[in-house]
Amino acid sequence: MTTRATKQLSGPRTATRTYQVAVIPGDGIGPEVVREGQKVLEAAAAQAGFHLAWRRYDVGGERYLRTQEVLPESVLEELRTVNAIYLGAIGHPEVKSGILEQGILLKLRFALDQYINLRPVKLYPGVWTPLKDKGPEHIDFVVVRENTEGLYAGVGGFLRKGTAEEVAVQSSINTRHGVERCVRFAFDYTRRRGKQKKLTLCGKTNVLTYAHDLWQRVFNEVAAEYTDVQTEYTHVDACCMWMVKNPEWFDVIVTDNMFGDIITDLGAIIQGGMGIAAGGNLNPRGVSMFEPIGGSAPKYTGKNVINPLAAICAGGMMLEHLGEVRAARGIERAVMRVTGTKLKSLAAGEMGYSTSQVGDLVVQALDT
Ligand code: IPM
Ligand code: MN
């Protein structure tokens, strides 16, 4: 287990838990939000009595433009040895779309076999949602997105490219192993979360009659081992409708990579937008990576106006994953205090505070 802290003697009698955390601030507003996240994580760690040993990696658009390197092999090898990775944002306006996303973000997810993308959708107090008549009591669910297969596997090709008879094929890869480990994680997670104890499979079995037939069969088989977890199925199109009309019906949703990508942007907006939406790319037996799910937002870069709460919440998820559950809960409570009593809006430039002031507010709101 790489997530376990290495114990280091910090004095004659006390042993401090130390976690090696790789930081990839990345592009655009990434460095600004990561700075606030680190500020909050440092404060939480000091309170809880553990230590975060940061290792900063300079990868992203600027490095690519300077050196043509996307993700050097030596960096990847070092990332394999840390307890967790904390990522800001990837995407640069002067780099062709796809190069950095595929070469860094997707590459890390695949190379480190981070087969779960865990994305909580929770409306915090005081946060505006576009859903009429819905409040924090209605919006609190988690999407478990398969993160290494499906349409993201990169299987496909062209035939007769550039001609009038061109064919483009992009295949969705669904393996028994990949689907089963994702579905099992989702059942375990639903049980552990202990809320409604309801797991919804989101698919499209009426059209994807091979891929989602496999998902459905695996889901039903694994469900038999979790009789305490209630199960449901919804087609992805209907899922979008219910997420808007009755989000309170959901507790945990498990779905494939592409559908998970799409429904979690819908999830992000109903929880208040990209300023608050966080996620974890998990390899339960390896190195996991935590990130705000929004992009690099070039137009806000360097202005100290972007909302750092998504990065702060991603940091909280990282602590929970590392086993520092009390500190993680403390960060979430502090964020809820700040949204509930301080911020005017979660939107960039409209918070009533700067990026660094929001970080300070969360630090102040941590329980003492
Ligand atoms: C996300 C993003 C990525 C994805 C992109 C940037 C490749 O949209 O993390 O949801 O599609 O997974
Ligand atoms: Mn996405």
Side-chain angles (χ1 to χ4, degrees):
M1 280 289 282
T2 45
T3 51
R4 197 171 299 143
T6 49
K7 293 234 169 16
Q8 288 186 350
L9 285 179
S10 66
R13 280 169 291 116
T14 52
T16 308
R17 303 183 300 286
T18 296
Y19 303 95
Q20 307 291 331
V21 179
V23 189
I24 304 176
D27 299 317
I29 49 79
E32 289 164 69
V33 298
V34 156
R35 188 180 313 126
E36 300 314 308
Q38 287 184 278
K39 188 195 272 180
V40 172
L41 289 168
E42 287 284 338
Q47 273 182 14
F50 61 90
H51 179 62
L52 295 164
W54 305 101
R55 293 199 218 161
R56 204 178 162 93
Y57 290 92
D58 159 39
V59 291
E62 295 296 335
R63 179 172 184 158
Y64 175 72
L65 292 172
R66 220 171 45 236
T67 68
Q68 294 295 304
E69 288 174 307
V70 184
L71 182 70
E73 201 56 36
S74 60
V75 171
L76 181 58
E77 288 315 308
E78 284 185 42
L79 293 175
R80 291 184 193 282
T81 68
V82 296
N83 295 116
I85 304 169
Y86 190 44
L87 177 76
I90 295 295
H92 193 290
E94 287 155 45
V95 179
K96 186 170 171 262
S97 174
I99 293 182
L100 302 170
E101 292 85 342
Q102 286 197 349
I104 301 175
L105 188 62
L106 297 182
K107 171 88 188 218
L108 285 172
R109 289 178 183 169
F110 281 66
L112 300 174
D113 203 21
Q114 294 164 342
Y115 61 88
I116 299 296
N117 197 324
L118 193 69
R119 296 189 160 179
V121 177
K122 184 168 176 178
L123 182 65
Y124 287 142
V127 175
W128 177 83
T129 174
L131 300 189
K132 192 164 164 283
D133 304 328
K134 298 294 177 188
E137 67 277 28
H138 302 108
I139 302 174
D140 182 5
F141 61 92
V142 178
V143 177
V144 175
R145 165 186 173 188
E146 201 291 320
N147 213 29
T148 53
E149 300 194 339
L151 283 167
Y152 281 71
V155 173
F158 296 110
L159 195 61
R160 301 190 286 269
K161 190 174 181 191
T163 70
E165 293 77 36
E166 176 162 354
V167 180
V169 176
Q170 191 102 35
S171 301
S172 176
I173 303 303
N174 297 262
T175 68
R176 170 79 205 195
H177 169 70
V179 172
E180 184 171 337
R181 65 183 180 173
C182 176
V183 165
R184 281 194 182 278
F185 177 93
F187 273 101
D188 276 336
Y189 183 81
T190 307
R191 179 182 272 172
R192 221 178 327 132
R193 176 170 147 91
K195 295 246 165 113
Q196 295 183 52
K197 285 217 181 168
K198 181 162 81 182
L199 179 61
T200 303
L201 172 64
C202 164
K204 190 74 183 171
T205 52
N206 51 350
V207 175
L208 304 181
T209 49
Y210 307 116
H212 286 183
D213 185 80
L214 174 61
W215 276 84
Q216 180 96 71
R217 277 181 285 122
V218 170
F219 186 77
N220 292 343
E221 273 175 45
V222 177
E225 296 171 35
Y226 291 83
T227 47
D228 55 323
V229 174
Q230 195 193 323
T231 56
E232 279 186 354
Y233 171 81
T234 173
H235 291 321
V236 63
D237 45 356
C239 184
C240 293
M241 180 181 73
W242 296 125
M243 279 172 68
V244 171
K245 187 170 178 289
N246 295 100
E248 67 279 3
W249 288 357
F250 294 113
D251 179 16
V252 180
I253 299 175
V254 63
T255 191
D256 77 7
N257 208 342
M258 188 79 259
F259 290 168
D261 176 48
I262 298 168
I263 70 170
T264 53
D265 262 33
L266 177 53
I269 197 62
I270 70 174
Q271 75 179 124
M274 288 304 176
I276 192 83
N281 301 276
L282 310 183
N283 177 340
R285 290 169 207 281
V287 182
S288 299
M289 174 168 74
F290 299 83
E291 54 170 342
I293 80 173
S296 57
K299 75 173 181 183
Y300 296 119
T301 300
K303 299 203 165 92
N304 202 22
V305 295
I306 196 79
N307 188 341
L309 289 180
I312 292 169
C313 290
M317 290 180 74
M318 180 170 79
L319 293 191
E320 176 164 358
H321 178 78
L322 290 170
E324 297 294 344
V325 178
R326 281 186 52 190
R329 299 266 182 281
I331 290 177
E332 185 176 41
R333 276 196 305 276
V335 168
M336 288 166 76
R337 281 185 199 127
V338 171
T339 61
T341 64
K342 304 280 186 192
L343 299 194
K344 284 201 289 213
S345 159
L346 294 194
E350 293 167 30
M351 300 185 290
Y353 299 89
S354 67
T355 305
S356 42
Q357 284 175 329
V358 173
D360 292 340
L361 286 172
V362 177
V363 169
Q364 285 156 23
L366 286 171
D367 304 325
T368 42

